[in-house]
Amino acid sequence: HDQFGQTGSADFPTRRDLVTAVSREVARRLLAGFERLARETPADPREFGKSFARLCSPEQTRLLLTLVLAADAEPAIRRIFRALTKDVRARLAETIGRLGGPPGADTVALMHALGIGLAVLELARAEPAARRELRTTTALAVSRLVARERQ
């Protein structure tokens, strides 16, 4: 490694260096959306569902899937993905808490998995019904979490 942590020559980084750098940027972009969501969380679960659906755009989902595939093949990118998961879940915990739901680890993991699954399905189906499901199912999940917490 040179003074900048690169394993290639100063003029020509290795493929791994490039893929890792791109992966860091993808992770940064994905996390930025969740940070925005945490800051701007609407109090109403339906409005949250709409905001979450906007966050799960086809472009964002493609970035996520690209990162998943890269993490499967490369340990350095797996570490980036693990850090991204931790940071995204921290933002989701904040968001769920602001909505009045239980921000525990299991609830956060459930919402994270639900969001990823719905986003992937929406991307693959590419139809209005899938976008609607992303919006309404997310709102339904948050509504039930909040109602359950208030009981």
Side-chain angles (χ1 to χ4, degrees), residues 27-147:
R28 187 196 64 74
R29 286 183 187 188
L30 291 169
L31 181 58
F34 282 92
E35 289 172 339
R36 209 170 26 260
L37 183 68
R39 276 193 316 273
E40 301 167 4
T41 301
D44 177 57
R46 278 177 291 187
E47 291 302 314
F48 171 77
K50 291 177 187 175
S51 296
F52 195 81
R54 280 191 298 276
L55 173 63
C56 298
S57 69
E59 177 187 313
Q60 293 289 90
T61 304
R62 283 185 201 97
L63 288 174
L64 175 66
L65 292 174
T66 300
L67 190 58
V68 166
L69 292 173
D72 182 49
E74 181 61 50
I77 297 169
R78 190 170 299 125
R79 287 188 292 277
I80 293 168
F81 193 84
R82 286 176 182 156
L84 172 64
T85 299
K86 180 181 172 188
D87 292 342
V88 163
R89 287 184 177 183
R91 300 299 84 72
L92 277 175
E94 290 173 27
T95 304
I96 292 166
R98 281 200 188 107
L99 287 164
D106 290 340
T107 301
V108 172
L110 175 68
M111 287 301 298
H112 190 203
L114 176 68
I116 289 171
L118 289 168
V120 169
L121 288 170
E122 195 269 332
L123 176 66
R125 290 169 56 195
E127 61 184 353
R131 171 76 20 188
R132 191 170 40 258
E133 284 175 12
L134 176 59
R135 218 177 29 252
T136 60
T137 304
T138 303
L140 176 65
V142 169
S143 294
R144 292 202 175 158
L145 287 171
V146 170

Side-chain angles (χ1 to χ4, degrees), residues 12-27:
F12 300 102
T14 66
R15 178 186 180 283
R16 179 181 292 166
D17 294 334
L18 294 172
V19 170
T20 301
V22 168
S23 296
R24 280 193 189 101
E25 177 58 19
V26 167

